[in-house]
Amino acid sequence: MFDVTELPLIGAAALRARSAARVLRTLPTDAKDGALVAMAEALVERTDEILAANAADVEAARADGTPESVVDRLRLDAGRIEGVAAALRQLVALPDPVGDVVRGSRLPNGLELRQVRVPLGVVGIVYEARPNVTVDAAGLCLKSGNAALLRGSASAFGTNTALIAVLTEAGEKAGLPAGFVELLPADRASVGELLGARGLVDVVIPRGGASLIQRVVRESRVPVIETGEGNCHVYVDASADPVIAEAVVLNSKTHRVSVCNSAETLLVHRDYPHLPRLLAALAGSGVALHGDDAARAAHDGVVPATDEDWATEYLSMDMAVRVVDDLPEALEHIARWTTGHTEAIVADSATAIAAFTAGVDAAAVLVNASTRFTDGGEFGFGAEIGISTQKLHARGPLGLPELTSTTYVVTGRGHVR
C-alpha cells in the first residue's frame, strides 16, 4: 500500500482518483457518453462564471509581463468555450475502445485467447497554459475509462479551477464517481509528488515545452508517455513540383507557428531549380530565414545558420534552411537533429519517396503534404492529448485507443497444465 503521507499535496486527490478508476473501468459506454453530454451542456450554461475566472488569470498574466502569444493561448471567450464543449460532444460519436478485441485465437489445446483493451487506470497529465486542455483531457480520460489527475499551469489555475468545478458537478450528477477528474495544485512540488506516486498513478503524460517534458522524463518513477517537441523538417527533392513545394512549405511553416507540428527546418536538394523562388515566398510571408552558404547565395537577407538553428524548435516566424547534396544527406541531417515528431518530403520521384519514408524515424511521415496534418482531429481520430514521440505503447496522436492497455482473457473448459 502506498503511504500517502509522502504526498501531502496530491495524496487525497490520488486516492479519490484510484477509487474512481475502479468504477470507471466497468462503466458502460452510454453512461460515459451521457456524462460527456451533460458536461458539455454545463460548460455552455456556466460560461459567464468561467469567463470571470479566466479574465482574472489573463489580467494577472499581463501584469506579470507574459507575452501576448501566451496570453492568447490562456484567454477564453464564449466561442472558445463552445469549442471545448463541442469537443466533448464529438467524443460521444467516437468508438469506445474499452472492450475491443485486439486479436484472438483458439490454441491447439482448445484454450480461447483474446487480447482485450482495458483502461490504463489513473492518468496524470502535466500541461501548460491552455485551459482547453483541461476539458479535452478530462473528456478523453473519461471516454477511455480512466480517472484523470490534471496539473495545469499556475497562470491558468483560476480558469482550471472553474472548469473542473463545472465538470465534476455535471459529471457526478450524471452518475460518475467522485474523483473521476481531479485538479492538482499548480506548483512545482505537486509535479514532484505526481512523478513519485508509483502505485497510485499508472501513467504520466507531459504536454508542454521542452523543459517540462525533460523534467518529467528525467524524474518520474511513474511510467511516462512522452509527448515531444516538434523540430520538424520539410525536405524538397530535386523532383518536386514547384507549386506543390511552395504550398507545402509555406503551410508547414506559417499556418500556425506556435504549435509542435509547425516546420522549423527546410532541406532542399541542390538540383532543385526553384530555391530562390521558394525562399522569396517564405520571406514575403514574413519568415526570417537562417541558412547555410548555399541558401544565403540564393536569397538576400538570409542570416548565417549555426548548429543552434538546426536544433531549435522556434515556435515563431523563423526557419532554418540547408541545401543538401542528395537525399541521404537530408536523412543524415534529420537523424541528427530530429525530435521524432513529423518529417515531410515533397517529391515526384517514387524512388525518393520510398527511400525517405523508409529512412526517416518519426511518429509521422508526410508525403507531399503539410506537417500541420499531424493531429488527432486531422487524422480522423478525434481529440488527442498530444503527439507521442516515443516508441513504446503509443506513437503519434494520443487518442482514445492510446489511453488504454490490454488484458489477455484466456478461457478454458477445466484446462490444467
Side-chain angles (χ1 to χ4, degrees), residues 22-36:
R22 290 193 293 271
V23 177
L24 292 170
R25 68 178 293 114
T26 61
L27 210 60
T29 302
D30 59 356
K32 293 186 285 189
D33 288 345
L36 288 168

Side-chain angles (χ1 to χ4, degrees), residues 195-370:
L195 301 183
R198 190 178 183 93
L200 273 179
V201 179
D202 294 288
V203 66
V204 171
I205 303 172
R207 172 172 169 162
S211 60
L212 169 66
I213 294 168
Q214 290 165 9
R215 181 193 176 192
V216 170
V217 171
R218 183 176 62 251
E219 298 181 11
S220 186
R221 294 177 57 228
V222 177
V224 175
I225 301 178
E226 183 179 351
T227 61
E229 303 166 72
N231 190 13
C232 306
H233 301 74
V234 179
Y235 166 64
V236 177
D237 188 60
S239 66
D241 179 289
V243 175
I244 293 176
E246 185 173 320
V248 168
V249 172
L250 285 175
N251 187 259
S252 296
K253 178 67 257 182
T254 68
H255 181 253
R256 191 176 176 193
V257 297
S258 63
V259 292
C260 60
N261 59 12
S262 173
E264 307 292 15
T265 297
L266 171 64
L267 303 173
V268 183
H269 195 291
R270 67 176 180 182
D271 294 333
Y272 178 72
H274 307 288
L275 177 60
R277 166 182 162 178
L278 183 56
L279 297 185
L282 284 164
S285 296
V287 179
L289 301 172
H290 310 247
D292 64 3
D293 290 343
R296 294 176 67 203
H299 184 77
D300 291 338
V302 179
V303 301
T306 66
D307 280 358
E308 184 177 352
D309 290 294
W310 309 132
T312 297
E313 182 187 21
Y314 292 113
L315 301 176
S316 64
M317 287 289 277
D318 292 84
M319 193 173 207
V321 185
R322 180 181 176 187
V323 177
V324 295
D325 287 339
D326 50 27
L327 189 147
E329 187 177 350
L331 291 174
E332 182 179 349
H333 179 103
I334 292 170
R336 180 176 180 186
W337 301 109
T338 185
T339 55
H341 190 295
T342 299
E343 308 298 352
I345 180 174
V346 184
D348 278 347
S349 165
T351 300
I353 291 169
F356 188 87
T357 55
V360 160
D361 186 5
V365 182
L366 281 295
V367 178
N368 293 322
S370 170

Side-chain angles (χ1 to χ4, degrees), residues 1-2 4 10-20 22 149 200:
M1 178 65 67
F2 199 94
V4 295
I10 76 161
L15 284 175
R16 287 192 296 270
R18 199 81 200 162
S19 178
R22 290 193 293 271
L149 290 175
L200 273 179

Side-chain angles (χ1 to χ4, degrees), residues 42-43 46-55 76 81 159 162-163 166:
L43 287 171
R46 296 170 67 177
T47 292
D48 290 345
E49 175 184 335
I50 297 166
L51 291 182
N54 183 248
L76 293 177
I81 292 176
T159 307
L163 289 169
V166 173

Side-chain angles (χ1 to χ4, degrees), residues 101-116:
V101 178
V102 178
R103 58 181 171 177
S105 63
R106 174 174 289 181
L107 303 180
N109 62 5
L111 285 174
E112 300 281 351
L113 180 68
R114 290 180 298 134
Q115 185 183 15
V116 181

Side-chain angles (χ1 to χ4, degrees), residues 82-105:
E82 176 55 49
V84 295
L88 290 181
R89 298 187 194 101
Q90 289 165 8
L91 286 173
V92 174
L94 295 177
D96 186 343
V98 179
D100 282 353
V101 178
V102 178
R103 58 181 171 177
S105 63

